[in-house]
Structure formats: structure tokens, C-alpha cells
Amino acid sequence: MAKVYDILIVGAGPAGLTAAIYGVRAGRSVLAVGGKAPGGQLMLTTDVEDFPGFIEPIQGPELMQKMRKQAERLGAEFFDDDVIRVNFKQQPFEIETEQKKKFSAKTIVIAVGSAYKWLNIPSELKFKGNGISTCATCDGYFFKGKDVAVIGGGDSAMREALFLSNICKTVTVIHRRDVLKAQAVLQERAKARKNIKWIWNSDVQEFLGENKFSGVKIKNNKTEKGTTIKVSGAFVAIGHEPATGFLKGQLGLDAKGYVVVKNQTETSVPGIFAAGDIRDFRYQQAITAAGFGCMAAMDADSYLQGYRALSEKAGKKNGNKK
Ligand code: NAP
């Protein structure tokens, strides 16, 4: 008979890996199904300077590798493939991966994180991966010495612009407002770079080019004036959305696709817990994802110990005798 894991974790970014570490440390059998490209957003990040414990900046992939090795040393098993189907309507729960591998578990921690948001304009599709990217660390080198644009005004946009400014001739940041959303330290660093230019209050209307990407058509949303910016590449950095498509119909999701949770980690199905960016549209930091991973594994362990759902307990404490 196929093995039934105590805790199966879907996702191997900071949330999933922390859940794996806490799960095995609680004496549970743990399998993490990490996706075809495990490690999450940090695999595409360079310097991480805000994860406690590292005096000097650590590279995102190195941080993920260390967390994974720690989980493996403690006894967690890994399988790297995308989960495409889940069945949470039976116990043990079941998941199926793209390679048609099926795994069963008594509890599941969903920690699949989020995916890049795109502008979703028709011309974007034409040049995706061929002039337009969402990942400067992956694709920036193709534009060495050239002029590029970054679209967005948050932390991601600043990080992309800073990274690209080391490789490219100029980086033009196009933002829809005249105030950045990014944290002050990143704003200051970007504004201090001489080859980063700024275009404010402007929306991208179209990505231009016949066969080859050649520029961005923008419109100032205050003056209505249209302009064309000639660039060889454009990086869309307008945030992320939860990668929860495969959970539709199985778990409660909100209108934007985030997993609905109560008591921090409990989903609409008892025994299924959520951690990281898929339940957090506010903080979205590696350290908060790791914290949620810890909570989810501890709650899965409590569930396995035969505890009633934490919410029931909390309800009774508050006088709810049902
Ligand atoms: P974000 O904070 O949501 O910022 C998205 C930016 O894109 C905003 O400036 C937004 O404009 C703009 N935008 C959104 N939709 C747009 C659209 N359709 N057209 C044009 N512009 C659009 O996303 P993020 O920068 O990816 O950051 C998300 C979270 O991840 C944050 O909590 C951030 O701190 C975290 N993060 C952390 C790190 C790290 O290393 N610690 C790195 C990257 C990101 P408005 O300003 O007008 O809303």
C-alpha cells in the first residue's frame, strides 16, 4: 500500500521549507512537493539583507538551499514537480503531480506562494519572454549595455531597477502614480543611481515592435499626453498574485484567489493548512512566510494529535457550546 505521510507540504519556498523543518522536528513523516522549480520567489532574488541571522547579504537561492538542506538533514523527503490536482474530499487527502505521481497524507500544508502579475494587455503576450520579462535576475543579462524599462513602483520594481542599473545603459521606471510604494531604503538607493530615470503618473498602453520588441507606448494619466519610450527590454514588476488555481473547488478562496484562513493557518477543510503568500496579501516577506510555515506545521501536528479544530476550541472558550 502506498505510504500515507503525516504532513504533506505543497511548495518549497520559505513557508514550505520551514513547515518541513517543524514537521520533522515534531516526529512526523513529511513530504514536500516543491514544484518543478522549487524554492519560490527567493530563487529569483539576489541580495537578501533583511532575513535575520545573516550579517552580510545572502543570495536568495543560497538561503533556500540552506533551508532545504536543513529540512533534508532532519529527515524531510522532497519531490520536485508541480501539483496539478488535489482531492481534499476524502481522508487521507490526495494530490497528483504533473508527472502523474500521486501522494497521500493525513494533513496538508499549502505553501505554493504567488506568481508574477502581468499587465494583461494584448501586446504583452506577443513579447513575453522575447523582450518583456518579470525577472531581471533571470533575463537582465540579455539587455547588457542597453536601455530598458521597469514598470511598477513597489519593492519588486525598485529591486529590478537596481539590479538592471548595474548591467544596462539606462533603466526607465514607469509608474502609474507620482509616489512610490516601495520601502524608503530601496527608493533612496534607486533615486541615487544616475542611470535610473523616472516617468510618473503614466500607464502603459502598448508594447511596440513588429517582429522585435522596440519600446513602450505610455499615456500620462494627468495630462492625457501619449509618449513612446524606445527601449530594448521591459520588466513588469507590478506585484504578485496567489498561485492557487489548482485549489479551486477544493478550498475556500477569496475573490482575488487568496486562501481564506481562520486562526492564522486553518483553511475551510479541517486538516488542510495554509502558509505564506497564498494567505498573506499584506506582508509577503520571506521571514513572515517562514513564520506562517512554522505555525502551519505546529497546527498540523496538533491536528494529528487528535486535537479538535483550533477554531472549535476557541469558539468554546468564547462561550460557544455548540
Ligand atoms: P506591490 O508592493 O503590490 O507593488 C506593486 C506596484 O506595482 C505598485 O507600485 C502598484 O502601483 C503597481 N501596480 C500594480 N498593478 C499595476 C498595474 N496594473 N499597472 C501599473 N502598475 C501597477 O508588489 P511588489 O513590489 O511585488 O511587492 C509585494 C510584496 O513583496 C511587498 O510586501 C514587498 O515588500 C515584498 N517584496 C519583498 C522583497 C524583499 O526582498 N524583501 C522583494 C520584493 C518584494 P500603486 O503604487 O499605484 O499601487
Side-chain angles (χ1 to χ4, degrees):
M1 228 176 76
K3 179 169 180 175
V4 177
Y5 288 89
D6 290 329
I7 304 175
L8 189 153
I9 297 156
V10 187
L17 292 171
T18 308
I21 291 165
Y22 274 77
V24 280
R25 292 267 296 121
R28 302 297 180 181
S29 59
V30 171
L31 172 72
V33 181
K36 271 189 296 204
Q41 303 277 347
L42 278 181
M43 296 305 281
L44 309 173
T45 305
T46 50
D47 286 359
V48 178
E49 338 184 81
D50 48 13
F51 200 91
F54 299 93
I55 298 160
E56 298 300 327
I58 180 165
Q59 300 298 296
E62 191 189 346
L63 180 58
M64 287 302 88
Q65 205 179 39
K66 281 183 190 293
M67 279 194 198
R68 176 153 172 165
K69 281 197 170 148
Q70 186 181 358
E72 280 171 341
R73 181 183 67 77
L74 291 164
E77 292 174 43
F78 283 84
F79 187 78
D80 295 333
D81 195 18
D82 288 341
V83 173
I84 52 161
R85 246 182 302 282
V86 297
N87 186 354
F88 296 161
K89 299 196 164 135
Q90 58 171 50
Q91 255 294 2
F93 303 121
E94 203 174 80
I95 64 138
E96 187 181 341
T97 76
E98 202 170 273
Q99 292 171 32
K100 303 237 171 298
K101 282 283 284 183
K102 287 188 178 172
F103 297 103
S104 302
K106 294 177 204 161
T107 67
I108 295 201
V109 173
I110 310 276
V112 285
S114 52
Y116 291 108
K117 250 170 70 179
W118 292 89
L119 286 162
N120 286 327
I121 52 176
S123 50
E124 186 179 53
L125 201 60
K126 184 172 166 190
F127 295 112
K128 247 186 205 180
N130 193 18
I132 303 178
S133 167
T134 49
C135 177
T137 41
C138 321
D139 300 327
Y141 198 75
F142 298 128
F143 305 100
K144 191 170 180 231
K146 299 196 169 151
D147 300 309
V148 296
V150 169
I151 296 127
D155 286 358
S156 296
M158 293 309 102
R159 283 180 179 274
E160 299 283 87
L162 284 163
F163 181 85
L164 290 164
S165 71
N166 293 328
I167 308 171
C168 301
K169 190 168 155 210
T170 66
V171 180
T172 302
V173 177
I174 301 165
H175 182 35
R176 64 182 178 185
R177 293 189 295 141
D178 58 1
V179 177
L180 293 169
K181 189 177 174 189
Q183 39 179 297
V185 63
L186 292 176
Q187 291 193 30
E188 280 160 24
R189 276 183 208 166
K191 284 180 178 166
R193 292 278 168 100
K194 290 217 162 52
N195 64 341
I196 298 185
K197 304 193 278 181
W198 305 87
I199 294 182
W200 304 105
N201 298 316
S202 295
D203 299 312
V204 172
Q205 303 251 283
E206 197 183 342
F207 292 107
L208 304 168
E210 278 302 317
N211 298 320
K212 196 168 177 239
F213 175 66
S214 63
V216 191
K217 189 172 154 194
I218 56 170
K219 188 167 159 190
N220 186 300
N221 52 39
K222 296 265 189 251
T223 64
E224 301 279 303
K225 193 177 164 238
T227 322
T228 295
I229 316 289
K230 278 192 178 172
V231 282
S232 305
F235 291 80
V236 178
I238 58 167
H240 302 89
E241 52 200 359
T244 49
F246 71 106
L247 296 171
K248 274 189 193 139
Q250 295 279 339
L251 277 190
L253 305 176
D254 72 11
K256 288 189 169 167
Y258 288 93
V259 177
V260 176
V261 288
K262 56 187 175 182
N263 298 321
Q264 305 294 356
T265 66
E266 291 173 55
T267 69
S268 55
V269 179
I272 309 277
F273 302 87
D277 286 5
I278 52 148
R279 45 84 62 226
D280 168 31
F281 53 84
R282 184 163 174 197
Y283 300 104
Q284 298 188 312
Q285 303 297 305
I287 189 71
T288 49
F292 283 124
C294 159
M295 290 189 254
M298 290 177 77
D299 290 344
D301 180 52
S302 297
Y303 178 89
L304 289 165
Q305 282 177 42
Y307 283 21
R308 283 164 301 182
L310 298 176
S311 54
E312 275 177 42
K313 247 171 84 180
K316 283 205 174 152
K317 254 192 205 159
N318 294 334
N320 174 7
K321 301 276 187 235
K322 270 192 236 167

